[in-house]
Amino acid sequence: MDTTDAPQLIEHINKSLNFTPYDTRWVPCSARLVVMGITPKAKGIIQVYEMNRGELSLVSESLKPEGIKCGTFGASSIEERHLACGDYKGKVAIYDLSRQDVPIFDVQGHNGIINSIDGIGGQTTGYGAPELVTGGRDGCVRVWDPRVSQPVVSLEPDEGQSVRDCWTVAFGNSYNDDERVVAAGYDNGDIKLFDLRTNTLRYETNVKNGVTGIEFDRKDIEMNKFAITTLESKFRVYDARTQHPTEGFAHLSEKAHKSTVWLAKALPQNRDIFMTGGGNGGFNLYKYHYPVSRTKQAKDQKPMGVPGSVELLNSRVISTQPIISFDWSADYEGLCCMACLDQTMRVYIVTKLKNF
């Protein structure tokens, strides 16, 4: 690609932190963002910042008993904007950012650290009840309704089966009030897709490397595609529109970052553009191109999917430490925040996205 036409990755703010950040999220419909992590004394911390003339001003800070690993606003309404968190001791808690001293929802969700959390149903888009899904070191995936203290669905390893660490979870396929799936990725490379309407395992496969991230391009539409990021510098994009009875979903595989690919996040304003963050301290911007035909006849005469291709639009290395968290702003196209293990939080602006 001609570099003059490529999207530019411009650093807007670089903020040093005195703790290790694990997750960053934009507060919906605001110029604020929240960063969560663990302090040197192994306490949890939640900080809320506001963008102000090219700087980040600290609005509030709250310490918690245990380190916080992940958070989401997905199950909260735009009016309330409650933050749901998972911590090192397996607790699931929901906080009102205007009063963080007491959680409005607090439950022991897992035995051990909660690695990943996702929410759905709270925003203006999407269908169905507001729900959270958590994945933990105990190998369990649990779906929560914030109105009750017991999990709605609990997917646990069979008795006697070796417990695999669940590293990442995500909601998808929530295109009406009944349909919804949960995708989970594990440290041994397993990927599992659970259908919450039929309470069945819809799809499973193994990608031979630990799954560090999973992301649907949209949660609130019929499954279109989802991205999987793994150890050993690879990511995959699956076409989820057509599932063959034996071959499953078609996918493409791509090498990136020359180290672990920690995440892939689709642009809210254009589901075919996504950003990956790597263990080399770099982030890559990709455009997904669909094939001429998304289905073909398999040897058994049943339809199967056809994978597309990805185009690298731009890339940049900004740190010597991994980028482990990334979030696009749903309100301003191209505005994004990220956290690195060098104890920094950065705000970037990605330009020229409307051209793609």
Side-chain angles (χ1 to χ4, degrees):
M1 168 175 285
D2 185 351
T3 54
T4 57
D5 296 328
Q8 301 301 305
L9 311 175
I10 302 168
E11 185 176 280
H12 182 50
I13 301 171
N14 186 330
K15 180 77 173 177
S16 293
L17 304 170
N18 60 359
F19 62 93
T20 301
Y22 281 123
D23 209 354
T24 52
R25 299 283 172 179
W26 288 102
V27 180
C29 297
S30 76
R32 293 180 297 158
L33 52 89
V34 61
V35 57
M36 299 150 274
I38 186 169
T39 68
K41 293 184 177 180
K43 299 295 183 183
I45 186 169
I46 301 174
Q47 288 184 338
V48 181
Y49 287 92
E50 187 167 31
M51 291 178 61
N52 183 17
R53 297 179 182 273
E55 295 182 354
L56 285 176
S57 304
L58 182 63
V59 177
S60 66
E61 178 179 300
S62 176
L63 291 175
K64 306 300 174 192
E66 305 296 336
I68 295 175
K69 190 67 165 61
C70 48
T72 180
F73 288 99
S76 177
S77 67
I78 295 292
E79 293 78 19
E80 293 177 328
R81 294 182 283 194
H82 291 160
L83 177 68
C85 300
D87 73 12
Y88 269 61
K89 283 292 177 71
K91 277 200 170 185
V92 182
I94 300 178
Y95 295 98
D96 184 340
L97 292 182
S98 62
R99 188 188 168 200
Q100 298 179 38
D101 52 343
V102 180
I104 56 178
F105 176 85
D106 187 16
V107 66
Q108 186 66 42
H110 292 262
N111 295 321
I113 188 171
I114 295 176
N115 290 316
S116 180
I117 189 170
D118 194 20
I120 199 169
Q123 309 295 327
T124 53
T125 58
Y127 299 88
E131 287 180 329
L132 298 168
V133 60
T134 54
R137 183 171 289 173
D138 56 5
C140 299
V141 175
R142 294 194 168 112
V143 178
W144 306 87
D145 184 327
R147 297 167 293 188
V148 295
S149 59
Q150 295 298 318
V152 179
V153 177
S154 185
L155 307 160
E156 304 175 6
D158 293 332
E159 195 170 332
Q161 183 182 356
S162 62
V163 175
R164 305 308 313 196
D165 198 339
C166 179
W167 280 354
T168 180
V169 290
F171 277 118
N173 204 44
S174 185
Y175 62 92
N176 62 33
D177 287 337
D178 300 318
E179 297 286 345
R180 191 168 285 178
V181 301
V182 167
Y186 296 82
D187 65 346
N188 64 339
D190 282 348
I191 297 170
K192 298 183 179 181
L193 218 59
F194 303 99
D195 192 316
L196 296 181
R197 181 178 66 84
T198 60
N199 213 20
T200 57
L201 182 63
R202 181 165 176 172
Y203 174 70
E204 66 176 328
T205 188
N206 187 283
V207 296
K208 300 178 182 177
N209 281 304
V211 180
T212 55
I214 189 165
E215 168 99 351
F216 287 91
D217 62 349
R218 287 287 182 277
K219 300 177 186 180
D220 55 345
I221 61 171
E222 194 170 349
M223 278 199 304
N224 182 55
K225 62 181 183 293
F226 59 94
I228 301 287
T229 58
T230 70
L231 307 177
E232 302 293 335
S233 63
K234 283 186 179 178
F235 70 86
R236 295 184 177 196
V237 181
Y238 286 78
D239 187 305
R241 277 292 163 91
T242 308
Q243 183 176 358
H244 188 270
T246 56
E247 299 295 326
F249 298 114
H251 73 274
L252 67 88
S253 181
E254 189 86 2
K255 289 186 75 74
H257 299 289
K258 297 181 180 178
S259 64
T260 296
V261 186
W262 283 100
L263 54 90
K265 297 291 182 181
L267 181 69
Q269 295 83 4
N270 182 350
R271 67 187 183 192
D272 298 329
I273 292 176
F274 63 97
M275 188 80 82
T276 61
N280 65 337
F283 57 107
N284 294 358
L285 185 68
Y286 290 94
K287 170 73 183 287
Y288 183 86
H289 295 282
Y290 294 98
V292 176
S293 174
R294 293 183 66 177
T295 59
K296 66 179 181 181
Q297 291 291 324
K299 292 179 181 178
D300 59 4
Q301 302 305 309
K302 293 181 179 177
M304 66 182 296
V306 178
S309 59
V310 291
E311 176 190 3
L312 180 63
L313 300 181
N314 208 339
S315 64
R316 184 169 176 181
V317 176
I318 60 171
S319 173
T320 58
Q321 298 296 316
I323 297 174
I324 58 165
S325 173
F326 182 94
D327 195 32
W328 291 106
S329 170
D331 305 307
Y332 301 98
E333 185 178 62
L335 186 64
C336 56
C337 63
M338 65 195 76
C340 302
L341 287 183
D342 60 2
Q343 295 194 343
T344 61
M345 177 177 59
R346 303 163 197 248
V347 176
Y348 267 73
I349 299 169
V350 184
T351 67
K352 302 180 184 177
L353 291 173
K354 289 190 182 297
N355 300 338
F356 302 92

